[in-house]
Amino acid sequence: MAHAFTRLFPGIAVPVKPGLLLAVSLFACVGLSAEKAAAFSLFGIHLWGERDAEVDTVQDPVRYTVNFTLTGGDSDLEGFLRRRSELVSGQDQPVDGDLGLLVKARDDLQILVGSLYERAYYGGLVDIYIEGRPITDIVGLPNFDRVNPVPVTVNVKAGPLFNFARIDLQGDAAQFDPAKYDLVTGTPAYSTTILSAANAIVNDLKNEGHPFAEITQREVIANHDNATIDVIIGAMAGPIADLGPVAIKGSEAVDPDFIRHYSRLKAGQRYSPEELNEAANRLRKLNTFDSVVINTGDALDDNGQLPTTINVKDGKFRYFGVGATISSIDGAGLEGYWGHRNLFGHAEGLKIEGSVARIGEASGFDDLDFAGGITFTRPGLFLPSGTLTASLLTAAENPDPYNAKSVAAAVTYSYEQGDYNTITGGVETRYANIEDAFGTEDYLTFSVPVAFDRDSRNDALNPTEGLYLITTAQPTYDFLGDTFYSSFDAIASTYFAAGADDRFVLAGRLGVGTIVGGDSLKDIPATDRFYSGGGGSVRGYGYKTISPLNANGDETGGRSYVEASVEARIGVTKNVQIVPFVDAADVSSDAFPDFGDIRASAGIGVRYLTSFGPIRLDVAVPLDRYPNGERYGIYAGIGQAF
């Protein structure tokens, strides 16, 4: 080799090779706009969008076959390169004309070289031949075979694995430990690690309050004699800045002062891209705006502050929807709702909803479950992170253990403590007429519910990681029965993902609860006692049929419960999951579970993943069914079971 050292990515730019940069740029564009872009093809090479008849009609089809060989490298390298190769992945589809095949091969050369760099093989060689001729020797317009598939040969020699040798962070980057960015002497010198380190250094400087931080030097020097890489990264932080007065643009119906207040951004606070991003996400979660973008200026203003603008676009404030569930045990359920997301100009929400359940399972109209209500929310009241909720709800419930007609009014205030935690407190009053195993009784209760929730899931409908915890304490007084009791309840779900694209997810849920106070179970409304069973708890059993029984075999409900579920969500294709699961519960008439009557079920489900959430179908069998109980249960719905 003529020179023992090769400079890679000199200066600020990253001139790997023009073809590779083009490929990377195209890939980035596809990733950002594939959902909205029309289908596009170049020289018969399908780049993005859905194929249609016009795109798939190749005027001058040239078919080819690929013989791919790799010399050297680790055990995973060949599969990695094959997945990256456009020639390998696209050989089932013809290209358009001789030039289409040649362009595809030349681009593949750059892609494979860049892929070797990603895996720290900087001395690798890639040779591509078409009909036995190196593509570098093909000039002008070639003329390939149209009768038989054109033979294409891809030979890759990985060469030695390069490790980091000297790491030199200069300028304002010198304050950071290179190990923080995985730049560690003696470890593989992946090109992606180097690029990520430079980006992370800039982000760290910006998070320290430097809005104009930038990389001033980035050099990667390969020593081919000893297979090592030297890295030099220099950065300039620029001035520390505070936010200037926050301007609001774009909204015609939402009060700008509310937008500014709810964003939690204010003049004088230290610049932080993380806080700007969190502010934008908070505004988006209101569902009041079609778009939210927060921009900062390119220079400081006359006061030495950073001009900041929140740009929003009002969305459609009125909305409506319908939903449905179905179970072979509990019957079908229908629900509908109408809402408004900006009632008085401060993103106030009003939602009117109604539902009917047990369709097909109930013996008559009077045995159906009905519910309806109206809910008002006022976000950002008193504190930017606070939300007031007022509701009036009425229901007629007829599960197997009881029949209940009730009306309840509640006012609660929720406080968001950071990104994941929510603390809620409030008051509720409820009147209920209930017929159960103890007879018919009226209850007029006043309660003070307090709740703590933690939700770190990455997706509410299809989580693959995180924790979802709901804890509630609800002291209650019944005026008609002169009874005081308190219920305590906690349910936690967590998720662990493994495999490429999180193809395997192990999900677990555990719930516990207890009721203290009241002289007997009869003193506690049946709607407040604990039951289990049904699509939301132990599948395969009827809704609320897992319960202590009295001498007549009637369900009484319990003072305590423990409930657990485990399921494995196994991706068999990109959109289809097979889900084996086990559910179990114990409900006791004592304040603490005695585990004297554990009921469990096992089953299997199918999930079809869509853009709006998984479509769920579960079949469950009770492992210890009650006499005359159901032999199996079938459940369908949207979203994962938990």
Side-chain angles (χ1 to χ4, degrees):
M1 185 171 292
H3 300 283
F5 291 85
T6 303
R7 288 189 176 270
L8 308 171
F9 322 146
I12 299 175
V14 189
V16 183
K17 287 190 178 179
L20 179 59
L21 287 181
L22 174 61
V24 172
S25 301
L26 285 174
F27 180 80
C29 293
V30 172
L32 292 172
S33 60
E35 287 186 356
K36 297 182 179 180
F40 183 75
S41 179
L42 180 64
F43 300 124
I45 304 170
H46 186 70
L47 296 178
W48 66 72
E50 293 186 2
R51 292 180 182 270
D52 55 27
E54 182 178 355
V55 173
D56 280 336
T57 301
V58 178
Q59 295 181 356
D60 183 15
V62 175
R63 298 189 177 276
Y64 67 93
T65 59
V66 178
N67 179 26
F68 186 100
T69 61
L70 170 66
T71 303
D74 57 35
S75 58
D76 297 328
L77 183 60
E78 181 170 352
F80 174 73
L81 294 176
R82 283 180 172 273
R83 289 190 296 271
R84 288 297 184 87
S85 170
E86 292 290 335
L87 286 169
V88 172
S89 62
Q91 62 182 318
D92 292 336
Q93 296 291 330
V95 295
D96 195 353
D98 301 308
L99 187 58
L101 179 57
L102 183 58
V103 168
K104 191 170 188 177
R106 288 173 174 170
D107 284 346
D108 217 38
L109 175 64
Q110 311 305 325
I111 292 172
L112 291 173
V113 169
S115 299
L116 287 172
Y117 286 5
E118 284 189 43
R119 290 299 181 93
Y121 292 97
Y122 293 90
L125 295 175
V126 179
D127 294 309
I128 300 179
Y129 304 84
I130 301 178
E131 292 184 335
R133 299 170 59 194
I135 60 172
T136 54
D137 292 347
I138 300 175
V139 295
L141 184 64
N143 183 20
F144 299 131
D145 193 345
R146 293 297 193 280
V147 178
N148 301 306
V150 178
V152 177
T153 301
V154 179
N155 294 330
V156 180
K157 295 180 180 179
L161 182 72
F162 281 62
N163 293 323
F164 286 118
R166 182 170 64 95
I167 309 295
D168 187 8
L169 302 186
Q170 299 181 354
D172 291 316
Q175 62 179 298
F176 300 121
D177 181 1
K180 177 182 179 181
Y181 310 106
D182 296 326
L183 299 174
V184 179
T185 299
T187 63
Y190 305 124
S191 65
T192 50
T193 300
I194 300 169
L195 296 173
S196 296
N199 292 332
I201 288 170
V202 169
N203 289 335
D204 285 345
L205 289 172
K206 288 186 175 182
N207 283 323
E208 290 181 350
H210 302 273
F212 308 120
E214 61 178 343
I215 294 296
T216 57
Q217 183 181 14
R218 179 171 49 203
E219 292 193 35
V220 180
I221 305 170
N223 185 336
H224 293 273
D225 289 340
N226 56 17
T228 60
I229 291 288
D230 293 341
V231 177
I232 303 172
I233 299 177
M236 181 175 65
I240 289 180
D242 296 334
L243 299 184
V246 180
I248 308 297
K249 293 184 178 180
S251 178
E252 298 179 359
V254 183
D255 184 351
D257 288 338
F258 167 78
I259 298 174
R260 190 179 295 108
H261 171 75
Y262 195 77
S263 74
R264 307 177 205 176
L265 299 179
K266 53 188 177 182
Q269 77 178 72
R270 180 63 52 84
Y271 165 81
S272 167
E274 183 177 349
E275 291 189 10
L276 293 177
N277 184 58
E278 290 176 354
N281 287 334
R282 277 192 290 270
L283 291 168
R284 294 185 187 107
K285 288 179 181 178
L286 288 172
N287 293 320
T288 304
F289 305 108
D290 274 346
S291 66
V292 178
V293 178
I294 301 180
N295 295 324
T296 56
D298 297 329
L300 302 182
D301 61 19
D302 294 339
N303 297 319
Q305 294 181 315
L306 186 66
T308 305
T309 304
I310 301 176
N311 297 279
V312 298
K313 180 181 179 182
D314 291 343
K316 294 181 179 179
F317 300 135
R318 294 174 177 84
Y319 65 96
F320 65 91
V322 295
T325 59
I326 188 168
S327 162
S328 65
I329 297 177
D330 304 318
L334 298 173
E335 65 173 299
Y337 53 87
W338 176 92
H340 197 292
R341 296 190 178 102
N342 187 45
L343 208 59
F344 305 119
H346 294 84
E348 300 91 346
L350 182 69
K351 187 176 184 179
I352 302 172
E353 56 191 326
S355 66
V356 57
R358 303 180 75 239
I359 301 171
E361 190 275 336
S363 58
F365 182 82
D366 291 339
D367 289 331
L368 293 172
D369 288 353
F370 295 96
I374 182 169
T375 303
F376 172 81
T377 57
R378 170 58 162 90
L381 184 65
F382 307 130
L383 298 171
S385 55
T387 299
L388 177 74
T389 301
S391 63
L392 180 64
L393 306 174
T394 183
E397 303 174 72
N398 298 284
D400 290 347
Y402 61 83
N403 298 320
K405 296 178 176 63
S406 64
V407 59
V411 177
T412 62
Y413 187 80
S414 299
Y415 171 73
E416 295 178 11
Q417 186 185 45
D419 294 332
Y420 305 125
N421 300 336
T422 303
I423 300 172
T424 303
V427 294
E428 178 189 87
T429 184
R430 180 177 56 181
Y431 168 77
N433 175 266
I434 300 175
E435 179 185 359
D436 63 3
F438 300 107
T440 301
E441 198 75 39
D442 290 334
Y443 301 89
L444 179 61
T445 59
F446 177 81
S447 60
V448 184
V450 179
F452 171 81
D453 299 349
R454 179 173 177 82
D455 188 356
S456 60
R457 295 173 297 175
N458 58 342
D459 187 329
L461 289 176
N462 186 30
T464 59
E465 62 181 41
L467 173 70
Y468 187 35
L469 172 66
I470 303 174
T471 62
T472 305
Q474 186 163 330
T476 303
Y477 180 73
D478 174 28
F479 292 97
L480 301 182
D482 191 22
T483 301
F484 178 80
Y485 61 94
S486 298
S487 65
F488 303 90
D489 192 26
I491 301 175
S493 302
T494 190
Y495 315 87
F496 303 93
D501 300 322
D502 295 336
R503 282 292 182 91
F504 178 86
V505 178
L506 183 65
R509 177 179 60 183
L510 178 66
V512 295
T514 185
I515 300 173
V516 296
D519 293 332
S520 66
L521 275 175
K522 182 181 178 180
D523 296 329
I524 301 168
T527 50
D528 287 350
R529 301 174 210 149
F530 295 122
Y531 303 82
S532 192
S537 57
V538 183
R539 289 160 281 189
Y541 291 84
Y543 178 56
K544 291 190 175 183
T545 59
I546 298 179
S547 162
L549 306 177
N550 64 10
N552 297 324
D554 298 324
E555 299 96 339
T556 63
R559 284 182 177 270
S560 63
Y561 83 97
V562 174
E563 189 177 276
S565 296
V566 176
E567 61 181 41
R569 301 164 186 171
I570 305 168
V572 294
T573 71
K574 182 179 179 181
N575 297 103
V576 177
Q577 292 177 332
I578 300 297
V579 184
F581 59 85
V582 176
D583 301 330
D586 175 75
V587 183
S588 174
S589 56
D590 298 325
F592 296 95
D594 56 16
F595 299 101
D597 187 20
I598 299 175
R599 301 285 168 164
S601 67
I604 193 165
V606 178
R607 308 287 185 266
Y608 183 75
L609 307 182
T610 71
S611 59
F612 55 85
I615 298 175
R616 181 178 77 255
L617 178 66
D618 288 335
V619 180
V621 177
L623 301 181
D624 185 17
R625 72 186 185 95
Y626 290 104
N628 301 319
E630 298 292 339
R631 295 183 180 275
Y632 63 90
I634 302 175
Y635 308 88
I638 296 177
Q640 297 286 4
F642 57 88

